[in-house]
Amino acid sequence: MSVASPNAERGVAVELTELRRSYGPVNALDSMTLHLAPGEFVALLGPSGCGKTTALRCLAGLEDPDAGTITIGGRDVTALPTNKRDLGMVFQAYSLFPHMTARQNVEFGLEMRGQDKSTRARRAGDMLDLVGLSSQADRYAHQMSGGQQQRVALARALAISPQVLLLDEPLSALDAKVRTQLRDEIRRIQLEIGTTTLFVTHDQEEALAVADRVGVMRAGRLEQLAPPQELYARPATAFVAEFVGLTNRLAGRASGGRAEVLGVSLPLLAGSGDGNVEVLVRPEGIEATPDPNGNATVLSAAFLGAHGRVTARTDGGEQVEVQVASAALPSFEPGQRVRVTPRGDAALAVAR
Amino acid sequence: MAKSPRSGTRALGGIKPSGALAGVVPFFAYTTVFLLIPTLVVIIAAFVSDGHLTLGNVRALGNAGFLTALKQSIILSALTAIIGAVVGGILAYAVSTARPDGILKRFITSLCGVLAQFGGVALAFAFIASFGAQGMISAWMKKAGVGPSSTLWLYQWDKGVLLVYLYFQIPLMLIVFLPAVEGLRPQWREATETLGGTTWTYWRRVAMPILFPSFVGATLLLFTNAFSAYATAAALVSQAQPLVPLQIAGTFTSETVLGQANVGKAMALAMVVVVAIVMTIYAWLDKRSSKWLVR
Ligand SMILES: Nc1ncnc2c1ncn2[C@@H]1O[C@H](COP(=O)(O)OP(=O)(O)OP(=O)(O)O)[C@@H](O)[C@H]1O
Ligand SMILES: [Mg+2]
């Protein structure tokens, strides 16, 4: 197979259905269901200890679920050992075999599949090319940087043309710059070869940037699975709204699918409560203008690069975070009176 | 903000910061006082007799008694090193699978620390008290009419002594080899499995090659440990001198032949040579595998 040809049909569907796994009293997976479409890139996002790794390891066969089923390409693999599942896996760090060169690492899986020497060498060369490391082929792990090691690990996982690619926080040991670079590269390669991919991370920016769909997990369950924009604009639960991006919790009264917040009537998202509620409004969903007769006082203003953030206290005593253009930042001084108004985007309301 | 100190940067093959050199001064002082000077004394003394340079001491080594003792010392050391390395290596793996902070592991490692240091002598006396001519178990076995008719085996270098040596060789192996076994990362096994390998593949292609240099190093350490052991052998063997360290001690305490002490130093020189050969083998093996080792 040529590496360079777009080959999206390669992907297979992957279904985790009602998986349960407990460690003593801890329910690491609590009836977790997650279905991936063929060729899809899904990022699993969630706070530490929510069960992301456990879900991924169950799919890999490195952990046995107590209950539930796992299918890959329609085939039930729940009882299949790891080495028969046809997976590529990239670990957090230090997974390269230290006594083998980069090339030998990449060839390892091909050797397990009984491929002859010249096929292996060609394929390993192609894969190292793909991750941009042809010049490092004869290096050992300790002679490479963390980012290079992870590239080799990716090449090794992809060399066997796996049905599913699994990545467990593959970038978390790298510094910020390498992290974004490699993350975009992983996405490029995944699009190129079309392998169904499950990517575990606790970095929301990373998840939103690369995935077709992002699954947010909480305490062993999937809270919401949606494309990045939808997840951000239409969170299904307060947990999702707060975990993905910053959000303000503002008191309001809801009825008939609308709620009044800071004097503005906002449409409410599906799943919102009625009556006395807290409405979840993003900093960029609020506008702030200097106004001596305003409804709030500036507490602080911070420059964040592309934009600025103003923190204000309303006359009702609520603290509000507002995103403003960087250029407008100088006009917000602590102690100054401002008017804060929701822009009118649909928001989620939860019972107060 | 103040500029961060250079100490955090890695010295890439170049000159290390002087602080690092200061750290090795005690090490060099120690090796000079306790290793280098005694070795030099032994080497020089081996060629001196009554204040004259001579080859007589070294020539005296050619007598059959010494050569037999040397051969037996090497066989005993090699056997206990290999058996100790294999058994201790397997035990180290078993211990590494126990809970890392568990009481079992702490107990076993500290027990082994004590045994590796003092196991030999203590055990030698325990064996004499149990299996010796007047031993409790010997007496009981005699009454029951079972077991060997003689208790002489206990004092022979290739039976009792060998057995007792294992009681410090195995714990020593466990202690020196455990860090290497614990350095095996679970990801390596899991990566092997996801790439289609079996448990056997993992051991053959990954774990064993990674452990090999440490295993060989530990085995050679065990060899020199047994080769130079004196107290345990002395505790068990009182009459004959089947091993080199016993012979050396003999030359120093002998009242019958004057000038024997110098022959003893020549014997010590022979031991130094054997150990030097072992170290050379180790250095050669180490160089072959060091390409991929992080130092
Ligand atoms: N081998 C284990 N033994 C006992 N408990 C475990 C084990 N593995 C996971 N757990 C527990 O299961 C829960 C889920 O763990 P998991 O590793 O899946 O979390 P995670 O979402 O990957 O977290 P992180 O972001 O920190 O990696 C945690 O409470 C964890 O303590
Ligand atoms: Mg994890």
Side-chain angles (χ1 to χ4, degrees):
Chain A
M1 184 200 108
S2 153
V3 174
S5 72
N7 201 358
E9 309 90 74
R10 253 201 70 74
V12 296
V14 172
E15 304 191 338
L16 310 180
T17 309
E18 292 183 12
L19 287 189
R20 288 179 182 280
R21 177 71 165 104
S22 54
Y23 297 101
V26 180
N27 284 330
L29 292 181
D30 186 9
S31 197
M32 149 113 179
T33 297
L34 172 66
H35 293 184
L36 287 78
E40 188 177 31
F41 192 130
V42 168
L44 261 191
L45 182 64
S48 188
C50 70
K52 306 180 295 290
T53 297
T54 307
L56 184 111
R57 290 173 62 85
C58 283
L59 175 51
L62 297 170
E63 211 74 64
D64 287 323
D66 300 330
T69 55
I70 302 167
T71 66
I72 297 177
R75 187 165 70 123
D76 187 338
V77 299
T78 317
L80 210 61
T82 302
N83 57 9
K84 300 260 158 56
R85 289 197 188 186
D86 197 14
L87 308 157
M89 183 148 172
V90 180
F91 299 80
Q92 191 165 355
Y94 309 119
S95 73
L96 293 185
F97 303 129
H99 61 305
M100 298 182 192
T101 61
R103 189 200 310 280
Q104 289 167 335
N105 265 282
V106 178
E107 284 189 19
F108 188 86
L110 304 168
E111 209 179 320
M112 295 296 107
R113 281 162 172 68
Q115 299 192 1
D116 65 67
K117 215 170 166 179
S118 63
T119 316
R120 286 197 322 246
R122 190 156 13 91
R123 177 81 180 152
D126 286 350
M127 296 317 298
L128 286 169
D129 256 350
L130 187 68
V131 297
L133 276 185
S134 330
S135 61
Q136 316 275 314
D138 294 317
R139 295 213 175 183
Y140 291 94
H142 76 96
Q143 298 170 321
M144 292 184 281
S145 71
Q148 289 171 334
Q149 291 182 33
Q150 289 306 76
R151 281 164 203 262
V152 176
L154 181 65
R156 179 176 72 178
L158 291 173
I160 57 177
S161 306
Q163 289 196 295
V164 185
L165 178 63
L166 305 174
L167 307 108
D168 190 0
E169 308 210 21
L171 310 174
S172 62
L174 309 176
D175 63 54
K177 186 152 183 247
V178 182
R179 193 146 80 200
T180 38
Q181 234 173 42
L182 194 47
R183 147 195 115 184
D184 295 340
E185 209 161 318
I186 288 175
R187 177 54 163 166
R188 169 182 67 78
I189 292 169
Q190 192 270 341
L191 283 174
E192 201 165 300
I193 61 184
T195 308
T196 311
T197 299
L198 186 59
F199 181 101
V200 163
T201 176
H202 59 242
D203 180 334
Q204 45 141 326
E205 186 194 320
E206 202 165 280
L208 298 178
V210 293
D212 292 313
R213 284 193 296 167
V214 177
V216 178
M217 278 188 77
R218 176 196 195 184
R221 311 182 67 109
L222 194 62
E223 287 259 314
Q224 187 174 9
L225 177 64
Q229 286 91 348
E230 185 181 331
L231 196 74
Y232 193 80
R234 312 174 66 84
T237 65
F239 178 80
V240 174
E242 305 216 291
F243 194 76
V244 182
L246 261 178
T247 196
N248 292 295
R249 279 172 171 264
L250 302 173
R253 263 207 73 80
S255 66
R258 297 192 75 86
E260 178 142 324
V261 181
L262 295 175
V264 176
S265 171
L266 296 179
L268 292 181
L269 292 172
S272 291
D274 254 348
N276 282 333
V277 290
E278 279 186 323
V279 184
L280 307 176
V281 189
R282 303 249 180 236
E284 59 273 31
I286 302 180
E287 208 168 7
T289 40
D291 179 354
N293 305 318
N295 59 356
T297 309
V298 174
L299 295 176
S300 64
F303 175 65
L304 301 176
H307 49 77
R309 176 153 302 138
V310 172
T311 308
R313 184 180 299 282
T314 64
D315 296 341
E318 289 180 304
Q319 191 161 315
V320 190
E321 306 270 349
V322 185
Q323 182 171 313
V324 300
S326 295
L329 207 56
S331 48
F332 296 96
E333 297 263 305
Q336 188 186 330
R337 294 292 289 170
V338 288
R339 175 161 297 281
V340 292
T341 23
R343 292 176 192 275
D345 306 332
L348 186 73
V350 294
R352 186 140 31 121
Chain B
M1 203 187 95
K3 236 182 148 186
S4 65
R6 288 280 316 272
S7 61
T9 60
R10 194 153 45 130
L12 284 170
I15 299 160
K16 287 184 183 149
S18 57
L21 276 180
V24 298
V25 166
F27 172 74
F28 279 122
Y30 177 84
T31 44
T32 306
V33 172
F34 292 102
L35 200 68
L36 224 52
I37 294 178
T39 308
L40 279 175
V41 167
V42 162
I43 293 173
I44 294 166
F47 295 101
V48 173
S49 196
D50 298 331
H52 303 289
L53 275 181
T54 173
L55 282 176
N57 301 330
V58 178
R59 241 183 246 125
L61 295 183
N63 77 61
F66 173 75
L67 289 182
T68 311
L70 183 64
K71 190 181 87 185
Q72 291 175 351
S73 263
I74 290 176
I75 293 175
L76 174 71
S77 306
L79 274 179
T80 60
I82 292 168
I83 299 172
V86 171
V87 177
I90 292 170
L91 285 180
Y93 177 72
V95 169
S96 76
T97 58
R99 284 234 320 276
D101 50 347
I103 184 115
L104 177 74
K105 181 180 247 171
R106 286 215 308 270
F107 174 73
I108 289 179
T109 45
S110 32
L111 178 71
C112 283
V114 175
L115 284 180
Q117 293 292 333
F118 309 111
V121 178
L123 205 86
F125 288 121
F127 263 56
I128 292 172
S130 313
F131 298 104
Q134 260 70 49
M136 270 165 44
I137 296 180
S138 302
W140 175 82
M141 285 202 298
K142 202 185 260 166
K143 227 193 255 162
V146 294
S149 54
S150 153
T151 57
L152 272 183
W153 65 272
L154 178 57
Y155 309 104
Q156 289 167 351
W157 69 272
D158 57 348
K159 299 193 179 69
V161 176
L162 188 144
L163 186 65
V164 174
Y165 269 33
L166 287 177
Y167 276 81
F168 60 78
Q169 293 283 65
I170 293 173
L172 178 62
M173 180 66 180
L174 194 141
I175 291 172
V176 299
F177 194 53
L178 188 59
V181 179
E182 296 197 314
L184 290 176
R185 295 184 180 276
Q187 296 97 302
W188 295 337
R189 179 196 285 273
E190 293 172 354
T192 307
E193 285 178 27
T194 57
L195 292 167
T198 59
T199 301
W200 169 235
T201 321
Y202 165 71
W203 280 104
R204 193 171 54 86
R205 294 292 314 279
V206 180
M208 297 220 280
I210 290 174
L211 290 177
F212 183 73
S214 319
F215 185 83
V216 172
T219 308
L220 294 179
L221 176 72
L222 258 57
F223 177 89
T224 53
N225 184 46
F227 191 66
S228 59
Y230 167 71
T232 309
L236 270 180
V237 183
S238 45
Q239 309 281 288
Q241 293 166 349
L243 302 170
V244 176
L246 297 177
Q247 286 217 336
I248 296 176
T251 63
F252 286 101
T253 51
S254 165
E255 283 160 13
T256 50
V257 198
L258 268 174
Q260 275 288 307
N262 291 320
V263 178
K265 283 167 190 155
M267 290 176 176
L269 174 64
M271 287 188 75
V272 170
V273 170
V274 170
V275 172
I277 291 173
V278 169
M279 299 302 276
T280 310
I281 296 173
Y282 176 64
W284 176 73
L285 279 171
D286 189 54
K287 210 171 132 197
R288 282 188 42 191
S289 57
S290 63
K291 278 179 304 184
W292 58 268
L293 282 178
V294 195
R295 315 231 157 213

